[in-house]
Amino acid sequence: MIRRVAAEDTYPLRQQVLRPHQARSEVGFPGEADPDTVHFAAFDDDGRIVGIASALHQGPGGAIPADDPTKWWRLRGMATAEDRRGQGVGGAILQTVLDHVAGRGGTALWCNARLSASGFYRATGFVTAGDAWEEPGIGPHVKMWRPVRPPGAGPTTSP
């Protein structure tokens, strides 16, 4: 089951998977409390959060040419519990985010992806924009983006 949650509900998994070098109180990010920002969590049958993602209404800037950046959204803090990887949790959360963005008139979704996760994003329709860089304390990243189809236009996870 995937449902909308408060930003703070994502902190334990965000800290465990994405930022183990930081204290839980340090894993928040700018804009996560904005009225348009949304946080989703996937729960297992025991009620444990096994996957998370956040989406901010934010243009891409830089390496991605955006015709109308006001219709772009940013994916942040996407993570799946180690024992649930490869079981469709990440894909289901991403689809939930894409549906949310499409339902609000968004036309594209972008992220700063870890290079180790870029294959997942590529398989779900994202393309790379620009060169990779080293995110201090976290590792190599690359900017990626994909179009978002309007509601009713069919699956959004194919290019």
Side-chain angles (χ1 to χ4, degrees):
M1 169 179 60
I2 297 173
R3 70 174 193 249
R4 199 168 170 170
V5 297
E8 295 79 18
D9 294 335
T10 68
Y11 287 4
L13 191 59
R14 193 186 295 175
Q15 189 262 340
Q16 177 187 356
V17 174
L18 301 175
R19 297 179 180 262
H21 62 286
Q22 292 180 318
R24 195 169 289 171
S25 62
E26 299 174 315
V27 300
F29 52 78
E32 73 175 13
D34 291 352
D36 285 346
T37 300
V38 62
H39 309 278
F40 292 105
F43 293 82
D44 67 10
D45 292 338
D46 296 325
R48 178 176 70 113
I49 292 177
V50 295
I52 56 170
S54 300
L56 295 82
H57 192 187
Q58 183 180 69
I64 302 174
D67 289 341
D68 186 354
T70 66
K71 294 188 177 201
W72 284 63
W73 287 68
R74 180 179 183 182
L75 178 68
R76 285 206 71 174
M78 185 162 174
T80 302
E82 187 174 343
D83 65 328
R84 295 302 301 268
R85 292 185 189 148
Q87 299 175 23
V89 173
I93 291 174
L94 180 57
Q95 187 61 55
T96 300
V97 169
L98 289 165
D99 291 345
H100 177 85
V101 169
R104 277 139 190 87
T107 59
L109 182 66
W110 70 279
C111 66
N112 290 332
R114 291 170 188 246
L115 281 184
S116 61
S118 63
F120 165 81
Y121 291 113
R122 238 183 251 93
T124 59
F126 282 79
V127 294
T128 301
D131 297 324
W133 74 92
E134 185 73 20
E135 191 67 36
I138 300 174
H141 280 65
V142 65
K143 191 172 274 196
M144 300 184 82
W145 74 278
R146 62 156 293 150
V148 173
R149 296 181 182 186
T156 55
T157 55
S158 61

